[in-house]
Amino acid sequence: MSIIVADDTIMYHIGLSRAMLSGVRYAILPGDPGRVEKICQALGKYVVLNFNREYKSALVTINAEPVLVCSTGMGGPSVAICLEELATLGVEKFIRVGTTGAIQEKISIGDIVINTGAIRLDGTSTHYAPLEYPAIADVYLAQAFIKIAKEEKVNFHVGLSVSSDTFWPGQERYNSYTGYVLNKFRGSLKEWQALGALNYEMETATLFTLGQVFGLQAISICLVVAKRTDSEAVLEKNLWSKLENQMYQYLKTSICYCQKNNI
Ligand code: URA
């Protein structure tokens, strides 16, 4: 049974209440608080709601409907806190908008990856469901985002993410402080590649597992900012801001489609 809170109860971490989110169905979830207002600017008129720890939130109006944009911070623990509190306030549809490192040759910087499932290389999701439980997207949101990606001629790829708790060893990066990668992760990039996974990032497995456990809808779209088949480097932020805006236009069209079709 889910908890219902009073309209004026403020959630401890995200600093939001049911009253502040009245009428909100969709939450757009970037990791970085610095991207919240950029996303809002690309989508419509907006008002900033709060900024506590890694959780910056704003309401943007799309087709006369308030849509929440709320940063999750990086990694499973902070995503889970955000999702717990937003679910308690009645939000039901979650759209992660992140960045990622591609591990398949066919995927290029600037492409979009739509993840329909995630390999659970996080720890947080195991506090909610055993590892046998799949981390999968909501099929209706996934279909909608794929349909619009096709129509808008986005360079996109659909498949599995490897969601790692760490940016360095779990994603088999050797350019870390010690340069040391545990035996269990050495050769793992090639192995995930052979198993058909598309990309590395740090949040989707937690989001999808909790989405399924809570009976709520979640999808994840990520902009490719690293091509791991070539190098460990991540593209400079100023070089991907144009690519980021293209992703937000695709996001807006997809949300409009979901609103119209009640997805
Ligand atoms: N985010 C990640 O977690 N890994 C990358 O390589 C790029 C973005």
Side-chain angles (χ1 to χ4, degrees), residues 99-101 167 171 173 200-202 225-226 228 234:
T99 55
T100 192
F167 185 81
Q171 301 186 19
R173 278 191 166 90
Y200 278 129
E201 48 76 60
M202 300 174 67
V225 296
R228 293 298 312 281
V234 177

Side-chain angles (χ1 to χ4, degrees), residues 108-180:
S108 305
I109 301 268
D111 288 359
I112 302 283
V113 177
I114 302 171
N115 285 129
T116 48
I119 291 152
R120 294 171 58 193
L121 222 56
D122 67 325
T124 307
S125 70
T126 64
H127 290 211
Y128 287 84
L131 264 182
E132 293 83 358
Y133 189 95
I136 50 173
D138 175 74
V139 69
Y140 301 104
L141 281 178
Q143 279 170 346
F145 274 77
I146 292 166
K147 176 183 162 62
I148 300 302
K150 281 184 189 156
E151 285 178 9
E152 298 289 304
K153 302 203 180 340
V154 170
N155 291 328
F156 73 102
H157 309 267
V158 179
L160 293 179
S161 167
V162 183
S163 290
S164 162
D165 262 353
T166 52
F167 185 81
W168 277 275
Q171 301 186 19
E172 209 188 343
R173 278 191 166 90
Y174 295 89
N175 63 348
S176 60
Y177 182 58
T178 64
Y180 187 75

Side-chain angles (χ1 to χ4, degrees), residues 8 19 22 42 45 74 109 112 159 168 209 228:
D8 59 353
S22 173
K45 284 210 167 115
M74 279 183 285
I109 301 268
I112 302 283
W168 277 275
T209 305
R228 293 298 312 281

